[in-house]
Amino acid sequence: MTVDAWIAEPVNWVFSIVAVVILFTAVRVVTSPNVVHAALYLVAALAGSAVMFLLLSAEFVALVLVLVYIGAVLVLFLFGIMITRAPTGFDEGLSNDRKLVSAAISLVLLGVLSWASLSAFGTDTVNTVGSPTATEILGDAILGRFVIPFEVVSFILLSALIGGITVARRDLTPLEEEERKAV
Amino acid sequence: MDWIDFLIVVLRVVVVFALLLLVTIINVWAERKVVADFQNRIGPERAGPFGMLQTVADGLKLFFKESIIPARSEVGMFLLAPFLAVIPAFLIFLNIPFGRPITIGDRVIPLQGMDVDVGLLIVLAMSSMAVYAVVIAGWSSGSKYPLLGGVRATAQAISYEAAMGLAMVAVVLFSATQAADAPGGTLSLAELVERQSGTWAGIIPRWNLIPQIVAFVIFFIAAIAETNRAPFDLVEAEQELVGGYFTEYSGMRFAMFFLAEYINIFSMSALTATLFLGGWNGPTWDGVLPVWLSALLPFVWFMIKTYVLVFIFFWIRATLPRLRYDQLMALGWKRLIPGALGWLMLTAVVLGYRRFGLPWS
């Protein structure tokens, strides 16, 4: 497919615009000097990814991305930021001098992911816009063929949850127990 | 898709928009009247008959007031937040079918902003987006009370969204067994309403309310919490936080938060009516009544059901005192979420037993 033919498709215009937005916001997530701004740029980047899924006619995945990441995970991020510190100016201590290492790791990750998806799917194409994947098929796949990975992921989440509670919880000292009983 | 189809789509969206603005004007007035009656006061009575134009007068007043931007605020975010409040509110109602599809010529026009296969997910996603407006407004004001309101909103939204989603799952699971011709579940709101038509034993309407009563109670409590209404209005608790997240807002920007809140009340009531009370289903006496009346009746049934729930919103506000923060968290995490999970399992086991029989037989 030549570039002219590629750009003639309206879907690809949307793709290009959204891709530019995602790249810009993703860069701003790590370069923004204000931690709340960084979190909000992450929201924008995730919203862009949701649009990408919509372009691939994966409605369910797109909406679950919005629901779980934007609607829950990022809200928790913001909660964490605001309950500890919520600067409205610049935050000097936000960056450190380990930029090279992070850049190298990011590049390696990009390489691995690109290699994995290229070798898995190659030149396969997906459904065109307007014929979305039925949610039923996804449900059958998750609870059929992929049920064991699904359960494993659930257990990882459960153990993370229990770990979080154990780390955050502070048992009362005997003295405090006495005080609480007295009240 | 020719230009008439395009026009119909535009018209549907405009109708939803106008409907929401209209019901907001009525709802603000109705709430003041209802709460006034509960508290043995008169309420608005000067502007128009029964004070019905009070909301219009208040709206005009806010329109002409100065919108103050505090010096310590983050200006961009501060200006963006009111829009973030209104947009998800509109998008939620866009998914809700408010009448039976009308047939004109050979065109079937669904009375719904948009009918998507995953409509229920859009509603859930949008209602979880609404918290961003509160958080961003609270944070960008650069003031203490709004920030506290924003922090409270985040925790509250996360806690009650989970219960709401789990209650919805039970309903979706149940309605998967309700389709006569097409077995399998659905997330389309139009289809969910369709499956609640008809009656059991000739008199009991086939609403999800009766078999899913526990889910209904959990869902409705979570819906009140999601809209930050009393008794869950810690986000804007006047006695503690001045006005909560919109303390620093004035003029039209304040009006937009107000508008979003009332649209959300109406949308959540409409969604509850759609999921549990059969949506627009009801007797239409086709063939007995004139055609236009039969076409109008489903909309009337929908509005009646929705307004019963809107009234319950007002009733609860006038009756219950505000929860303390720890009570809010305890209710969400220790009562509603385990309750919703238990109910979901019970529903799944009963439906599984009905379909497959005992596991060892």
Side-chain angles (χ1 to χ4, degrees), chain B:
Chain B
M1 189 161 154
D2 58 4
W3 65 274
I4 298 182
D5 287 315
F6 184 72
L7 202 68
I8 289 172
V9 172
V10 173
L11 204 66
R12 270 154 55 188
V13 175
V14 172
V15 164
V16 169
F17 189 77
L19 179 76
L20 282 179
L21 290 182
L22 189 70
V23 297
T24 303
I25 290 177
I26 297 170
N27 284 355
V28 176
W29 167 79
E31 168 161 38
R32 294 176 68 171
K33 269 295 192 200
V34 168
V35 174
D37 280 349
F38 274 113
Q39 297 169 347
N40 206 6
R41 294 184 286 115
I42 296 171
E45 60 153 5
R46 294 293 170 89
F50 307 105
M52 285 180 86
L53 296 178
Q54 187 62 47
T55 320
V56 181
D58 286 346
L60 275 177
K61 183 198 75 174
L62 284 171
F63 207 76
F64 288 114
K65 276 196 154 182
E66 183 188 358
S67 269
I68 299 163
I69 299 174
R72 294 274 303 273
S73 64
E74 280 260 340
V75 179
M77 291 293 155
F78 187 79
L79 299 185
L80 184 69
F83 295 96
L84 289 182
V86 175
I87 293 169
F90 275 111
L91 285 178
I92 290 175
F93 193 78
L94 213 51
N95 289 289
I96 293 171
F98 53 86
R100 192 171 55 173
I102 300 176
T103 315
I104 298 174
D106 54 353
R107 279 196 172 75
V108 179
I109 304 167
L111 289 185
Q112 184 180 12
M114 53 183 183
D115 180 18
V116 197
D117 283 344
V118 287
L120 202 56
L121 271 180
I122 297 188
V123 169
L124 209 54
M126 285 309 136
S127 83
S128 66
M129 294 290 285
V131 67
Y132 275 94
V134 179
V135 174
I136 291 177
W139 170 73
S140 67
S141 296
S143 158
K144 288 187 189 67
Y145 293 123
L147 184 65
L148 281 173
V151 171
R152 286 181 177 188
T154 46
Q156 183 173 332
I158 300 260
S159 317
Y160 283 82
E161 207 175 273
M164 196 171 168
L166 286 169
M168 272 187 190
V169 174
V171 175
V172 170
L173 205 58
F174 174 76
S175 88
T177 62
Q178 293 299 300
D181 47 346
T186 179
L187 292 171
S188 150
L189 286 168
E191 183 67 27
L192 283 172
V193 172
E194 211 63 77
R195 290 180 182 191
Q196 296 177 61
S197 60
T199 51
W200 282 301
I203 45 166
I204 310 166
R206 284 167 60 107
W207 297 349
N208 289 338
L209 174 71
I210 300 150
Q212 290 287 325
I213 182 80
V214 176
F216 170 75
V217 172
I218 293 170
F219 183 88
F220 198 63
I221 294 174
I224 297 172
E226 279 282 296
T227 47
N228 295 330
R229 291 282 301 175
F232 302 105
D233 59 344
L234 290 98
V235 174
E236 45 194 87
E238 300 93 333
Q239 293 85 352
E240 307 156 28
L241 299 179
V242 190
Y245 62 96
F246 52 66
T247 304
E248 304 291 345
Y249 282 85
S250 49
M252 210 45 213
R253 303 211 172 85
F254 167 75
M256 283 172 80
F257 280 118
F258 205 68
L259 177 70
E261 178 175 339
Y262 279 84
I263 293 177
N264 276 329
I265 292 172
F266 185 73
S267 302
M268 280 299 164
S269 304
L271 181 65
T272 317
T274 302
L275 287 178
F276 294 97
L277 303 183
W280 44 259
N281 281 310
T284 52
W285 298 287
D286 286 298
V288 182
L289 294 175
V291 177
W292 63 270
L293 204 58
S294 289
L296 189 69
L297 266 178
F299 176 69
V300 174
W301 295 129
F302 170 78
M303 285 307 257
I304 290 175
K305 288 169 189 174
T306 306
Y307 265 96
V308 167
L309 294 168
V310 169
F311 177 76
I312 297 177
F313 261 86
F314 298 160
W315 186 5
I316 289 173
R317 183 200 148 174
T319 312
L320 295 177
R322 182 179 303 131
L323 265 71
R324 226 169 42 218
Y325 194 73
D326 59 324
Q327 292 171 332
L328 176 86
M329 286 297 140
L331 178 67
W333 290 103
K334 294 183 188 164
R335 306 271 188 283
L336 291 188
I337 291 179
L341 273 174
W343 179 252
L344 176 60
M345 279 183 206
L346 187 69
T347 310
V349 168
V350 170
L351 293 177
Y353 172 73
R354 271 206 213 144
R355 183 158 164 203
F356 303 112
L358 292 170
W360 52 83
S361 62

Side-chain angles (χ1 to χ4, degrees), chain A residues 18-32:
Chain A
V18 175
V20 170
V21 171
I22 293 179
L23 284 178
F24 172 75
T25 50
V27 169
R28 290 297 289 160
V29 172
V30 284
T31 56
S32 173

